[in-house]
């Protein structure tokens, strides 16, 4: 052996040991990889699993109305402005009623005249018809009936004008906030479409979401709901399903149904405002205290025709991967419940 090697033999041993350690680490790393990537693993856990469904929507109201006058006319009085709170049956606006009242008086005079004519005709022909021939009796009867019809028509004219007078005043069938006043100033001539008044009752607001036909069958009335409104992103609002529509919504892409959700909290301070958007989360299924692994770790053996033979996992046993048969339960949000074959804290590989 050369003199140099005799003096430096311990250095060579140290270098070889370092090289061997590095080679061992590389080999171990390679053994735990697949296709050049680190092999994924998962430690079996025991906890509760929930399958959730999230639907988007916005706040709507059960009681909301758009009020219009039945006919055109001169707006003589407007008693509300946007933002006012009105009571049920409160009058909010009216048309100029002077022409209507004069017309009603005219028809009342017409009625009186028709009444006089009827009574005179009745007196003239009622008693005389008994002394007349059959032909003249029938003629007298027709004259009396015509006079009666004229009197009835005048009564109907009065009733119609009374209705027109009544319709000249606009009142709200619900209480609520006035959200639109189409013609805020009196003295202008307008059509019914130009004088629209919109009222929404804030006490009847609810969250309206739409569910696909495959999702709506998973829901049931009375179920609890967690709401996150875009206006209150850091607050979870509790509610429940009030109703699910029986027929799909129109003008929607696909077959979707409305899901109405009520708030557990009252809307006293109007914190829930019409049109606010957000998301509603529903717990569709829940399994408490179960063993589970992500579904991607579950592998299957199948026959050539596709029939399932068994489910298994690659379980860590003494540092190696061992094929282990398992029995599985329900799949919940990409996780599979383990019925048997594994225990908590076992490690499985992808």
């Amino acid at each position: 052996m050369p003199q140099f090697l005799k003096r430096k033999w311990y250095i060579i041993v140290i270098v070889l040991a370092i090289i061997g350690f590095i080679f061992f680490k590389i080999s171990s790393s390679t053994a735990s990889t697949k296709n050049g990537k680190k092999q994924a693993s998962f430690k079996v856990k025991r906890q509760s699993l929930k399958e959730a469904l999230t639907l988007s929507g916005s706040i709507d109201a059960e009681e909301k109305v758009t009020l219009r006058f039945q006919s055109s006319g001169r707006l003589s009085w407007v008693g509300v402005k946007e933002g006012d709170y009105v009571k049920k049956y409160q009058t909010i606006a009216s048309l100029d009623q002077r022409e209507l009242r004069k017309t009603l008086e005219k028809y009342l005079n017409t009625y009186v005249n028709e009444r006089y004519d009827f009574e005179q005709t009745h007196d003239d022909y009622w008693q005389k018809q008994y002394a007349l021939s059959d032909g003249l009796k029938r003629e007298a009867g027709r004259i009396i009936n015509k006079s009666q019809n004229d009197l009835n028509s005048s009564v109907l004219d009065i009733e119609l004008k009374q209705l027109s007078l009544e319709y000249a005043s606009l009142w709200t069938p619900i209480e609520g906030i006035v959200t639109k006043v189409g013609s805020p100033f009196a003295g202008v001539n307008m059509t019914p479409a130009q004088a629209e008044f919109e009222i929404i009752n804030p006490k009847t607001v609810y969250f309206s979401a739409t569910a696909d036909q495959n999702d709506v069958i998973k829901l049931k009335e009375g179920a609890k709901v967690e709401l996150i409104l875009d206006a209150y992103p850091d607050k979870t609002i509790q509610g429940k399903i009030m109703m699910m529509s029986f027929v799909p919504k129109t003008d929607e892409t696909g077959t979707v149904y409305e899901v109405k959700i009520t708030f557990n909290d009252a809307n006293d301070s109007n914190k829930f405002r019409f049109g606010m958007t957000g998301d509603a989360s529903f717990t569709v299924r829940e399994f408490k205290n179960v063993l589970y692994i992500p579904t991607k770790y579950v592998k299957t053996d199948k026959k050539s025709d596709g029939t399932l033979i068994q489910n298994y996992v690659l379980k860590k046993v003494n540092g190696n991967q061992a094929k282990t048969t398992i029995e599985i339960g329900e799949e919940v949000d990409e996780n599979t419940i383990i019925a048997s074959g594994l225990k908590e804290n076992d490690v499985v590989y992808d």
Side-chain angles (χ1 to χ4, degrees):
M1 180 181 291
Q3 190 69 23
F4 172 78
L5 293 178
K6 289 182 179 179
R7 293 197 301 266
K8 303 297 185 179
W9 66 269
Y10 59 89
I11 297 177
I12 296 174
V13 172
I14 293 174
V15 171
L16 291 174
I18 293 173
I19 293 173
F21 178 76
I22 293 174
F23 178 77
F24 173 77
K25 294 295 290 184
I26 292 174
S27 299
S28 299
S29 176
T30 303
S32 63
T33 60
K34 181 187 293 184
N35 298 327
K37 296 182 180 179
K38 186 175 181 180
Q39 187 175 11
S41 62
F42 183 82
K43 184 180 290 187
V44 180
K45 296 181 180 180
R46 178 181 292 277
Q47 66 182 46
S48 296
L49 294 180
K50 292 182 179 181
E51 181 180 351
L53 174 65
T54 300
L55 303 175
S56 297
S58 61
I59 292 180
D60 204 335
E62 285 287 344
E63 294 185 4
K64 56 182 179 180
V65 293
T66 298
L67 304 175
R68 304 181 185 91
F69 288 103
Q70 192 179 44
S71 60
S72 303
R74 181 173 177 270
L75 195 60
S76 64
W77 175 74
V78 179
V80 294
K81 61 182 182 299
E82 288 187 19
D84 285 350
Y85 196 93
V86 294
K87 297 180 180 180
K88 190 174 183 178
Y89 303 132
Q90 178 177 331
T91 302
I92 59 175
S94 63
L95 298 175
D96 191 337
Q97 300 178 11
R98 290 176 296 178
E99 180 180 355
L100 293 173
R101 292 186 183 279
K102 293 297 183 182
T103 304
L104 179 59
E105 291 179 9
K106 177 182 176 181
Y107 278 97
L108 284 171
N109 291 334
T110 302
Y111 165 75
V112 172
N113 292 334
E114 291 291 345
R115 183 70 187 181
Y116 288 154
D117 291 343
F118 170 76
E119 291 176 352
Q120 185 63 50
T121 301
H122 188 275
D123 291 342
D124 290 343
Y125 289 93
W126 186 253
Q127 296 296 332
K128 292 180 180 179
Q129 65 177 332
Y130 295 105
L132 300 175
S133 63
D134 292 341
L136 293 177
K137 284 182 181 180
R138 289 193 293 270
E139 181 181 354
R142 287 194 293 269
I143 292 173
I144 294 174
N145 290 335
K146 180 179 179 301
S147 180
Q148 179 69 65
N149 290 336
D150 291 340
L151 179 62
N152 293 341
S153 295
S154 66
V155 173
L156 292 175
D157 287 336
I158 292 173
E159 291 177 350
L160 289 172
K161 292 305 174 182
Q162 286 177 330
L163 286 175
S164 298
L165 192 60
E166 179 182 337
Y167 293 153
S169 294
L170 202 62
W171 51 269
T172 171
I174 64 170
E175 67 171 299
I177 298 172
V178 180
T179 59
K180 178 182 178 181
V181 178
S183 294
F185 304 110
V188 298
N189 293 318
M190 55 83 217
T191 63
Q194 292 172 326
E196 288 187 342
F197 296 81
E198 292 182 359
I199 298 171
I200 299 175
N201 188 347
K203 297 178 182 179
T204 66
V205 296
Y206 65 92
F207 188 84
S208 175
T210 53
D212 183 83
Q213 59 183 333
N214 297 320
D215 291 329
V216 74
I217 60 176
K218 302 176 183 178
L219 306 175
K220 60 181 180 179
E221 293 184 7
K224 295 180 180 179
V225 184
E226 291 186 345
L227 296 163
I228 300 292
L229 298 178
D230 296 336
Y232 306 104
D234 300 325
K235 183 178 180 181
T236 300
I237 302 166
Q238 302 299 322
K240 65 179 180 180
I241 298 178
M242 174 176 61
M243 186 275 291
M244 294 178 291
S245 65
F246 186 72
V247 296
K249 295 186 68 175
T250 57
D251 301 327
E252 295 283 346
T253 302
T255 305
V256 296
Y257 296 81
E258 182 182 21
V259 181
K260 292 185 177 182
I261 301 163
T262 57
F263 301 99
N264 289 353
D265 297 334
N267 196 27
D268 296 332
S269 59
N270 297 335
K271 59 184 177 181
F272 305 135
R273 294 179 179 268
F274 188 87
M276 283 184 173
T277 57
D279 296 314
S281 297
F282 311 81
T283 298
V284 179
R285 295 186 299 170
E286 182 175 7
F287 301 89
K288 295 184 178 180
N289 194 30
V290 293
L291 285 175
Y292 78 95
I293 61 174
T295 302
K296 68 177 183 177
Y297 290 92
V298 178
K299 304 179 185 302
T300 58
D301 282 332
K302 295 182 178 180
K303 296 179 181 179
S304 58
D305 62 357
T307 305
L308 176 67
I309 299 176
Q310 64 180 0
N311 294 302
Y312 70 92
V313 294
L314 299 177
K315 176 183 173 183
K316 182 178 181 181
V317 179
N318 297 326
N320 298 314
Q321 299 180 14
K323 182 177 179 180
T324 304
T325 302
I326 61 171
E327 292 184 8
I328 63 174
E330 298 283 346
E331 183 177 348
V332 183
D333 284 345
E334 299 184 352
N335 293 311
T336 297
I337 296 174
I338 303 301
S340 65
L342 293 174
K343 62 181 184 298
E344 191 173 1
N345 295 324
D346 281 347
V347 176
V348 295
Y349 294 96
D350 190 4

